[in-house]
Amino acid sequence: MTNVSRETFDEVMVPNYSPLKIIPVKGEGCKLWDKDGTEYIDFAGGIAVNALGHCHPELVAALKEQGEKLWHLSNVFTNEPALELAQKLVDGTFADRVFFANSGGEANEAAFKLARKYASENFGPEKNEIISFKQSFHGRTLFTVSVGGQPKYTQGFEPLPQGITHLEYNNIEMLENAVSENTCAIVLEPVQGEGGIIPADKAFVEKVRELCDKYDAVMILDEIQTGMGRTGELFAYMLHGIEPDVLTSAKALGGGFPIGAMLAKQKFADALKIGTHGSTYGGNPLGCAVASKAFDIISNPAVLTGVKEKRVLFETKLQMINEKYEVFDEVRGEGLLVGAALNEKYLGRARDFMVAALEQNLMILMAGPNVVRMAPSLLVSEAEIEQGMAALEKAVAKVVA
Ligand SMILES: *Cc1c(COP(=O)(O)O)cnc(C)c1O
């Protein structure tokens, strides 16, 4: 087992990824180590997944405890951890019903299928059009890449599912003109994550709500990246004072254990009758036990308030770096979903910043070629933010030089 290296990747893996040079082998909180023992500060958080850092002791305990009891049953039986987690999600949100999956893409797949089913059963088959937005990201299954607004992810995979329209995000006029009696769903991320950390305007979200009500369309919020505390609210819709009809969650939901969920109001959930949809592993006891513990910790008001406070520190530090090196146009996002958009001079170079940061033992992300992204643990300490930002400053200095 020790006989593998980064080179092994190029020999045995499908070449759809281009992983960085080091291989982390151990993590604790916001720290990671590679096999030489080099320590890294982790502001990538497994792409907004490790909301409680690596190997949080309470998550490890929940995993071990459940791991010695029961891992898997299939949905021929229900199980206590799934019921407990569903109860918490229902009590803590707008939703009346929960469907469990194993990833974000699967949660969205369920949501899009639900919208089609709900519309065809209640209004007829011609009500099938899904409205989505450019630059959006909803997963990598054929349906979810098709609903997503990034053509590079559908190219070569045609023929694609039909009946999907992509509009400009935050463009109210365009939305009003496009929506019709045939619209079955409007799907959006409250902050476009992969598309460049672009927050939805409050007025835009309100308009989506209004039009969905007017046209009996399902309002689907993809909160896979914004969800579970990332914005300083349990879910980002809570910032906007509206409720969606359907919401998808994954990433932070399991704190690092793969799990996804679709949350829905009763009348929409009812469309998925017995046998209409399913998943072998969805709602397995092991994943649900870990997610249930993650929910308890993340939903603690002190943790959520902490997210908002730490954001201020990130913004202040990024602005200080920017005053010195003039690399960013703006810092955007919500809570600990931080996007620093590169200015004209550095367009297309987000990966250079990411690689330079790694050389300073700091892990960060990009959100497209023009945005540096950070999505650290919600429990990151002020000292770790200071340390990480000092490393980022050195990395920026190198790129600029
Ligand atoms: C990551 C992500 C997905 C896809 O989740 P997977 O678990 O990779 O399938 C979907 N939507 C958004 C907004 C995401 O950030």
Side-chain angles (χ1 to χ4, degrees):
M1 273 306 283
T2 47
N3 220 0
V4 294
S5 67
R6 173 62 181 79
E7 283 68 47
T8 316
F9 182 95
D10 300 326
E11 291 158 14
V12 300
M13 302 290 255
V14 168
N16 61 320
Y17 302 117
S18 157
L20 293 162
K21 292 293 159 220
I22 64 137
I23 303 181
V25 295
K26 183 176 141 60
E28 190 185 312
C30 290
K31 302 270 168 65
L32 277 169
W33 292 271
D34 65 16
K35 71 173 163 206
D36 304 327
T38 305
E39 185 177 295
Y40 298 84
I41 300 248
D42 182 13
F43 286 176
I47 316 190
V49 166
N50 300 306
L52 301 173
H54 297 278
C55 299
H56 188 287
E58 290 184 56
L59 296 193
V60 173
L63 182 69
K64 283 186 178 162
E65 195 188 325
Q66 190 59 44
E68 287 172 356
K69 273 196 216 157
L70 185 65
W71 292 21
H72 175 78
L73 288 165
S74 89
N75 289 294
V76 173
F77 301 94
T78 189
N79 67 80
E80 290 179 348
L83 297 172
E84 280 165 20
L85 176 59
Q87 187 70 61
K88 288 175 189 180
L89 289 165
V90 165
D91 290 347
T93 70
F94 74 99
D96 305 307
R97 290 286 187 268
V98 180
F99 168 81
F100 288 119
N102 310 290
S103 67
E106 282 175 69
N108 280 336
E109 186 84 20
F112 304 159
K113 284 179 72 180
L114 176 147
R116 286 264 174 92
K117 194 84 173 168
Y118 171 80
S120 74
E121 282 195 351
N122 291 284
F123 304 96
E126 63 292 338
K127 190 175 178 68
N128 61 44
E129 191 204 12
I130 296 174
I131 292 183
S132 166
F133 300 97
K134 291 180 179 160
Q135 300 109 233
S136 64
F137 183 79
H138 298 298
R140 299 290 204 140
T141 67
L142 196 58
F143 198 179
T144 56
V145 285
S146 302
V147 174
Q150 304 198 36
K152 64 181 180 202
Y153 294 144
T154 52
Q155 271 154 22
F157 296 117
E158 301 84 355
L160 304 175
Q162 295 298 293
I164 302 160
T165 304
H166 297 97
L167 306 178
E168 267 173 35
Y169 192 64
N170 280 331
N171 187 329
I172 289 180
E173 200 186 320
M174 202 181 238
L175 179 62
E176 281 178 320
N177 290 334
V179 69
S180 77
E181 294 298 337
N182 289 338
T183 305
C184 75
I186 305 179
V187 185
L188 73 158
E189 297 160 83
V191 179
Q192 288 191 327
E194 303 306 304
I197 316 297
I198 304 164
D201 300 335
K202 196 172 166 63
F204 184 68
V205 176
E206 287 167 356
K207 183 57 72 175
V208 171
R209 180 65 278 172
E210 183 192 318
L211 293 171
C212 283
D213 289 336
K214 186 168 169 196
Y215 290 95
D216 288 309
V218 185
M219 178 174 179
I220 303 174
L221 279 185
D222 179 344
E223 294 233 26
I224 289 162
Q225 192 150 161
T226 54
M228 294 301 294
R230 180 69 41 202
T231 66
E233 300 286 339
L234 191 57
F235 288 105
Y237 78 83
M238 296 169 178
L239 293 166
H240 291 293
I242 54 100
E243 289 183 347
D245 300 315
V246 169
L247 177 153
T248 51
S249 178
K251 293 202 165 104
L253 179 65
F257 197 97
I259 181 169
M262 175 187 69
L263 280 55
K265 286 196 173 148
Q266 179 80 49
K267 81 167 175 181
F268 304 101
D270 285 345
L272 290 186
K273 297 190 172 58
I274 292 172
T276 52
H277 191 58
S279 160
T280 297
Y281 294 115
N284 67 82
L286 202 51
C288 290
V290 176
S292 196
K293 179 55 75 180
F295 183 97
D296 293 344
I297 302 172
I298 293 172
S299 60
N300 178 339
V303 170
L304 296 171
T305 310
V307 169
K308 291 183 176 166
E309 289 165 0
K310 288 163 199 173
R311 174 166 189 99
V312 178
L313 198 52
F314 267 98
E315 282 192 8
T316 310
K317 293 281 168 190
L318 284 167
Q319 265 144 23
M320 281 167 61
I321 292 173
N322 204 32
E323 270 160 32
K324 228 161 145 181
Y325 298 100
E326 294 179 10
V327 287
F328 307 129
D329 245 353
E330 61 170 342
V331 176
R332 60 196 188 209
E334 288 283 354
L336 288 176
L337 184 54
V338 183
L342 297 170
N343 64 25
E344 193 104 7
K345 197 168 163 202
Y346 296 96
L347 281 186
R349 294 192 60 193
R351 192 177 167 93
D352 295 346
F353 285 88
M354 185 171 80
V355 170
L358 191 68
E359 279 162 14
Q360 301 301 325
N361 298 350
L362 169 69
M363 292 160 172
I364 58 172
L365 299 165
M366 46 199 279
N370 306 322
V371 180
V372 170
R373 169 173 46 162
M374 285 167 273
S377 163
L378 308 185
L379 305 180
V380 64
S381 70
E382 287 193 10
E384 286 162 336
I385 298 174
E386 306 260 356
Q387 196 186 339
M389 285 294 137
L392 184 66
E393 178 169 349
K394 286 188 199 151
V396 169
K398 290 239 162 119
V399 174
V400 167

